[in-house]
Amino acid sequence: MNQEQILACGDELYQAMVKRETLRPFTERFDDITIEDAYHISLRMVERRVAAGERIIGKKIGVTSKAVQNMLNVHQPDFGYLTDQMAFNQGEEMPISERLIQPKAEGEIAFILKKDLMGPGITNADVLAATECVMPCFEIVDSRIENWQIKIQDTVADNASCGLFVLGDQAVDPRKVDLATCGMVVEKNGQIISTGAGAAALGSPVNCVAWLANTLGSFGIGLKAGEVILSGSLVPLEPVQAGDFMSVSIGGIGNASVRFV
Amino acid sequence: MADSQNNTNQENQVNNLTQQQIEELAIHCENAELEAYEITKITDDFPQMTYKDAFDIQWEARRRKEARGTKIVGMKMGLTSWAKMAQMGVEHPCYGYLADYFSVPEGGDIKTDELIHPKIEAEIAFVTKAPLKGPGVHIGDVLRATDFIVPAVEVIDSRYKDFKFDLKSVIADNSSSTRFITGGCMAQVDEVDLKTLGVVMEINGEIVATGAGAAVLGHPAASVAMLANMMGERGEEIPAGTFIMTGGITAAVTVNKGDNINVRYQGLGSISARFV
């Protein structure tokens, strides 16, 4: 794709997000779209958000489960940017009917960094040493692509299908919890709908953050102290609508809950 | 729902099979287990079977084992997750007994040729210190009567062709029980959050399933309460000192000869074994 096309696609995505409209998949419109093109498109979309006054506060890692990797036929995760306008607090009402198009909820572990991480060469030990705390989190993903008909280039371009997120009210030292075996229980409207454990994301959420640091490092970008990193879903995605209530409990870490309006 | 519950209650009380038929079906099911061959589900030939008939067949097979000198070393609950019940097309959990020769040491070998089409499940096991007798047993009773919990891996092996069965057939087949491995790391019930306790199952180093304790009827202790209440319908109690496996936290995963399994439990170590 040429630079002009990339900018145009990023602008289309930004408009689609603002107007809550969906787009035809880019992979149907551009035969030659590469994953690298897609990251440039996502960067343009995020630049538009920043130009409109949003502030980047962290990153999210997506496509971390084997099920989703098989669905998209890729064997690596992807990432997107988090802005201050995406963040909600524990138990707060989340206006998905005003903000999102076709939302789905996923339970995750969030990392809050206390030191910069600059790849390549970042190990799990570096990630743990740079982590201030881990927190329970719901990410509400959304797609600006019609009916979630995404290939990997479509979701990468669309800021890794990022929507909104909620952090719980507990923060735990990562040295105090086994992040690979900690269990997750997700409830929707009072019913347990799924369980999982940390290892569902690339074997460990720590692996996910190390992957992100190393991947960004190869482009000369670092993770910054104070950033929030959403490390990837541990359970299947759950479609949600206004009126739903969801909560997630993570063994040794805590709970997060969200009311959708 | 209320109607089907009533039907179930009635079916818990009455027999439609004769004592001779029950004894023959117990031999039929137990021989398939002992000699590792497949049979068709017995409700195909005996559609009139009740739940009482099904449990009578299971208890008759158990009596036959004990008469030969086999020791019963514990109990197990099966089909305890809503997903598993939906997958198997059954509407209620079930229980079975564990015989002494089902036990495999941690790190040990499981002889695949002695089984038909084994699958593994990650579970939490309870060991009781006081008797539990239904009806009316609840989670609080269970936690009070629990000496400690330990992680366990259950190997299940339905004797029915292609693992296809209905609830009555699976009850008669001792709820697919065949082998189990107990971990070496125990905990008191007040030391762990059983609902969010996570498990990670690996076969040959690859992660194949993850889950948390709530997958078992919302809380593994609820499974023990249900066992006490189901056994109570027959006038049986769970004695102090009973080892009880509460049901799969993960989906049951197929294993093959040559596989190495390793299951990790949050705060409770890991269990490994080999299928040889």
Side-chain angles (χ1 to χ4, degrees):
Chain A
M1 290 177 78
N2 62 42
Q3 184 63 14
E4 198 178 323
Q5 289 171 319
I6 285 169
L7 294 180
C9 289
D11 291 341
E12 275 184 55
L13 279 166
Y14 178 73
Q15 289 300 333
M17 183 196 79
V18 171
K19 294 181 181 161
R20 296 182 61 242
E21 291 169 356
T22 54
L23 302 174
R24 258 184 75 210
F26 294 120
T27 46
E28 286 179 10
R29 293 162 52 193
F30 302 97
D31 288 340
D32 58 343
I33 183 172
T34 63
I35 292 179
E36 200 179 325
D37 291 332
Y39 277 118
H40 286 293
I41 294 170
S42 79
L43 208 52
R44 172 62 177 183
M45 182 196 191
V46 170
E47 280 167 7
R48 292 289 306 269
R49 297 183 73 156
V50 170
E54 296 186 43
R55 188 166 66 85
I56 292 173
I57 59 168
K59 311 231 168 22
K60 69 152 281 185
I61 306 161
V63 197
T64 51
S65 78
K66 188 153 284 179
V68 175
Q69 290 193 352
N70 288 341
M71 188 183 83
L72 297 176
N73 196 26
V74 290
H75 301 286
Q76 59 174 36
D78 68 359
F79 69 88
Y81 297 87
L82 303 177
T83 76
D84 57 342
Q85 292 301 305
M86 299 178 183
F88 285 76
N89 295 321
Q90 165 85 350
E92 208 175 354
E93 285 186 348
M94 182 184 276
I96 54 171
S97 39
E98 287 166 26
R99 296 280 304 270
L100 303 182
I101 306 164
Q102 37 190 352
K104 299 181 184 191
E106 47 187 49
E108 308 194 14
I109 295 170
F111 287 64
I112 315 298
L113 300 182
K114 61 182 172 186
K115 290 185 201 160
D116 295 353
L117 276 174
M118 185 75 193
I122 295 298
T123 64
N124 285 12
D126 297 322
V127 171
L128 291 170
T131 301
E132 170 72 25
C133 60
V134 290
M135 297 177 77
C137 172
F138 264 123
E139 181 185 356
I140 315 305
V141 294
D142 193 19
S143 183
R144 271 61 62 170
I145 305 297
E146 58 191 14
N147 299 319
W148 277 94
Q149 293 300 311
I150 52 170
K151 293 200 166 74
I152 184 69
Q153 294 93 329
D154 296 304
T155 183
V156 167
D158 189 20
N159 196 25
S161 305
C162 199
L164 306 172
F165 69 95
V166 182
L167 295 178
D169 51 11
Q170 279 144 303
V172 174
D173 184 337
R175 291 155 205 249
K176 303 252 165 76
V177 58
D178 177 351
L179 289 165
T181 62
C182 63
M184 172 177 287
V185 182
V186 176
E187 294 171 53
K188 181 184 183 183
N189 302 326
Q191 188 182 11
I192 294 166
I193 57 163
S194 56
T195 73
L202 297 183
S204 167
V206 186
N207 292 346
C208 300
V209 180
W211 173 86
L212 179 64
N214 288 322
T215 302
L216 286 175
S218 67
F219 296 107
I221 304 167
L223 300 179
K224 300 281 180 221
E227 282 195 325
V228 180
I229 312 294
L230 309 189
S231 61
S233 186
L234 307 182
V235 290
L237 276 62
E238 176 68 16
V240 292
Q241 55 189 17
D244 286 335
F245 171 77
M246 288 188 71
S247 69
V248 58
S249 307
I250 308 176
I253 299 182
N255 310 294
S257 63
V258 56
R259 288 182 295 139
F260 298 106
V261 295
Chain B
M1 188 69 196
D3 276 354
S4 78
Q5 192 65 45
N6 281 339
N7 290 340
T8 305
N9 287 342
Q10 277 168 22
E11 289 213 355
N12 288 342
Q13 312 295 333
V14 297
N15 288 104
N16 281 343
L17 301 183
T18 65
Q19 184 57 29
Q20 192 188 341
Q21 284 172 319
I22 287 167
E23 286 172 18
E24 284 168 3
L25 285 168
I27 293 168
H28 176 66
C29 291
E30 201 205 353
N31 282 348
E33 182 249 306
L34 293 171
E35 293 166 32
Y37 59 80
E38 289 180 337
I39 54 177
T40 54
K41 67 179 172 25
I42 58 177
T43 47
D44 288 350
D45 294 321
F46 299 91
Q48 76 277 26
M49 247 176 83
T50 64
Y51 284 104
K52 174 140 195 319
D53 291 325
F55 277 115
D56 284 355
I57 293 166
Q58 182 189 124
W59 283 84
E60 171 61 15
R62 171 181 172 146
R63 190 197 63 75
R64 289 171 52 80
K65 283 194 193 309
E66 289 185 283
R68 287 197 301 270
T70 299
K71 195 175 166 201
I72 302 304
V73 298
M75 296 297 291
K76 66 152 272 182
M77 287 290 282
L79 304 174
T80 47
S81 82
W82 310 120
K84 189 81 186 280
M85 282 185 257
Q87 183 193 343
M88 292 295 166
V90 303
E91 57 288 337
H92 201 270
C94 55
Y95 66 79
Y97 56 84
L98 303 172
D100 52 12
Y101 65 92
F102 291 4
S103 176
V104 177
E106 218 270 286
D109 292 345
I110 297 158
K111 296 187 179 68
T112 317
D113 289 341
E114 293 177 358
L115 311 175
I116 303 165
H117 38 211
K119 298 182 182 193
I120 57 169
E121 295 179 340
E123 307 197 9
I124 298 295
F126 283 59
V127 175
T128 61
K129 61 183 177 188
L132 284 167
K133 185 168 185 182
V137 173
H138 57 71
I139 287 184
D141 298 325
V142 172
L143 295 179
R144 188 166 57 96
T146 300
D147 193 357
F148 59 90
I149 59 156
V150 283
V153 171
E154 181 177 12
V155 185
I156 57 168
D157 190 30
S158 174
R159 268 56 67 168
Y160 296 116
K161 193 168 176 346
D162 303 327
F163 251 93
K164 292 215 167 65
F165 48 69
D166 52 31
L167 188 53
K168 289 170 191 170
S169 293
V170 77
I171 290 167
D173 183 33
N174 193 23
S175 299
S176 309
S177 305
T178 196
R179 296 287 183 272
F180 67 93
I181 312 153
T182 309
C185 199
M186 67 185 220
Q188 306 298 314
V189 286
D190 58 0
E191 292 171 345
V192 288
D193 177 355
L194 284 165
K195 187 176 162 182
T196 60
L197 190 146
V199 302
V200 180
M201 181 189 284
E202 297 165 354
I203 299 181
N204 303 326
E206 189 182 348
I207 294 163
V208 293
T210 67
V216 180
L217 295 173
H219 190 293
S223 178
V224 178
M226 187 175 280
L227 174 66
N229 291 328
M230 289 170 79
M231 288 176 68
E233 288 178 14
R234 295 182 65 94
E236 301 277 351
E237 72 169 20
I238 304 174
T242 302
F243 172 81
I244 302 160
M245 292 199 296
T246 53
I249 290 171
T250 57
V253 180
T254 298
V255 281
N256 295 296
K257 191 185 278 196
D259 284 345
N260 296 299
I261 65 165
N262 181 49
V263 184
R264 291 182 276 155
Y265 299 79
Q266 186 177 12
L268 291 173
S270 65
I271 296 176
S272 58
R274 300 184 307 158
F275 283 79
V276 297

